Amino acid sequence: MKTIDIIVPCYNEEEGLEYFVRETNKAIDTLPDYSFRYILINDGSRDKTYLIMKKLAKQFSNIKYISFSRNFGKEAAMYAGLQHACADYVVVMDADLQHPPEVFPQMIEALEKEGYDCCATKRDEREGEGLFRGLFSKLFFKLSNKLTDVKNPYGAMDYRMMTQQMVQAILELSEVQRFSKGIFSWVGFNTKWISFKTVERRMGTTKWKFSSLFKYAIDGITCFSVAPLRFTAIMGAVIFFISLIYIIITLIQTLFFGITTPGYVTTLCAVLFLGGLTEMSIGILGEYIGRIYMETKDRPIYITKFSNFEEENNKEKDKEKDEK
Ligand code: UDP
Ligand code: MG
């Protein structure tokens, strides 16, 4: 029997977690040929999420949980889940039922019959997002597909099912500043994209603000490309050559015709323009240096406080002891 691990990052999901498990179990029950296991990750929730997880784990033997010592972010939670997943197929999905478990059969078919390594989901194209947000995310997908090795269709989501082989590849990328959508795509393998109608969050609230989306977009590009750095270098070169021409023209003018203009406007333009450009370049440089700095610290991606994986390990150790 094939096994499937479902990784679910949870941050303040007390309202919906039980409902999520109930609904997902319904989908699982329709697939008796597969053995499912949940890996719930409590990402430092400040509500009762952890208690609910513990309760659920008592109730269902196929529920495993990891609880972080603080909020490390969804990316870290997914990483923790992937590290613990040992099933044939691994699913990553949200706890808010915005990712319908009803598409499991479709995903399994893609992996098993159609020969894909991953079946990922994307937002239905026809759906609106809000004008500004929509424009922003369209621009982001265009830009990041152009600038980086990462190729994702518009509206790509984290919700996907992957083979264990692909999970192992993802775990090889153990960087601290994780951008999963990029990593999923960077490791390669064949991905099938399916879309479904997204629904509003049933319970709880979204943890995204526009500012965090903006940060996410910057991460998405800088984590996978040095194109912005190259852009500043090219800008520098272009301006250098233009200046050279302008200097020659001015020299000739001065030598042959004498100084005719006070040069107020040109000076002002040059100072302001170059000043702005220099600041921007230093900013971009700083963005990358900051990333190098954070990465060289080599801190752990997450810290576990509680987990029922340990119990299992202990049991196994006890067994080994007994056998000896
Ligand atoms: N999440 C998390 N850590 C965080 C923020 C979110 O583990 O710091 C989880 C959250 O519990 C949910 C998933 O990530 O299961 C997606 O979050 P949300 O629904 O807020 O994002 P959206 O669907 O709006 O993109
Ligand atoms: Mg959501």
Side-chain angles (χ1 to χ4, degrees), residues 266-280:
T266 32
T267 315
L268 194 71
C269 287
V271 169
L272 291 183
F273 180 68
L274 288 180
L277 203 71
T278 315
E279 284 292 320
M280 193 181 81

Side-chain angles (χ1 to χ4, degrees), residues 8-13 41 43 71-74 77 93-96 98-99 201 205-208:
V8 192
C10 308
Y11 177 57
N12 296 344
E13 300 284 0
I41 293 105
D43 183 16
N71 178 248
F72 280 90
K74 185 186 170 188
M93 71 193 294
D94 287 0
D96 53 9
Q98 274 181 319
H99 298 166
R201 226 174 194 289
T205 49
T206 175
K207 281 96 201 173
W208 287 102

Side-chain angles (χ1 to χ4, degrees), residues 257-300:
F257 307 102
I259 300 165
T260 46
T261 43
Y264 170 72
V265 178
T266 32
T267 315
L268 194 71
C269 287
V271 169
L272 291 183
F273 180 68
L274 288 180
L277 203 71
T278 315
E279 284 292 320
M280 193 181 81
S281 308
I282 293 175
I284 293 176
L285 209 60
E287 192 67 38
Y288 281 91
I289 293 177
R291 274 161 210 285
I292 300 170
Y293 174 64
M294 293 313 284
E295 215 60 57
T296 50
K297 282 172 183 264
D298 205 20
R299 289 183 176 161

